[in-house]
Amino acid sequence: MTDQDFLKLLNAVVKLAKPFHKEAPDLDRLDINFKETTIDSLDMLMIGLYLGDVFGISEEDAKQMMVATPGELFEIIKKTATKFPDDVDKAIEGLK
């Protein structure tokens, strides 16, 4: 999975994780700090759970994915994932 594929997937997950009354930020790079966006700790918990499902990461480990940047999140996923989606668009469709 490329960095751009991960960002595409992450942006789709963020839109699902954010409450409908709050606007989801567009994450366009791996080094942006989540604190510079509208993503809060509850959003991060939900993002971790969604991504855990996509990448075959246990719920317990997914709950621990509280990091500062998308790049750090991607690195943790690379180390703990038991599966990687073959197609990002299909993975996004599977989240809905």
Side-chain angles (χ1 to χ4, degrees):
M1 173 171 284
T2 67
D3 291 352
Q4 290 306 316
D5 286 341
F6 178 72
L7 286 170
K8 182 177 182 178
L9 177 60
L10 180 59
N11 278 301
V13 167
V14 167
K15 287 179 182 162
L16 290 172
K18 290 293 288 178
F20 289 108
H21 65 280
K22 293 188 178 181
E23 187 174 328
D26 183 34
L27 303 171
D28 60 354
R29 57 186 215 274
L30 292 174
D31 64 345
I32 191 169
N33 193 308
F34 288 121
K35 289 182 180 180
E36 296 173 16
T37 71
T38 59
I39 296 172
D40 61 24
S41 59
L42 180 57
D43 298 331
M44 284 302 299
L45 175 64
M46 295 305 299
I47 290 166
L49 292 173
Y50 278 116
L51 290 175
D53 188 47
V54 171
F55 290 100
I57 299 169
S58 73
E59 186 174 318
E60 190 63 35
D61 287 340
K63 288 179 181 179
Q64 302 303 315
M65 291 197 283
M66 304 298 261
V67 294
T69 68
E72 291 174 7
L73 184 58
F74 194 24
E75 288 304 313
I76 289 173
I77 288 170
K78 288 181 200 177
K79 293 176 184 171
T80 58
T82 61
K83 65 180 182 177
F84 281 87
D86 293 326
D87 184 300
V88 172
D89 292 321
K90 287 182 183 176
I92 291 169
E93 190 63 34
L95 292 169
K96 298 176 183 176

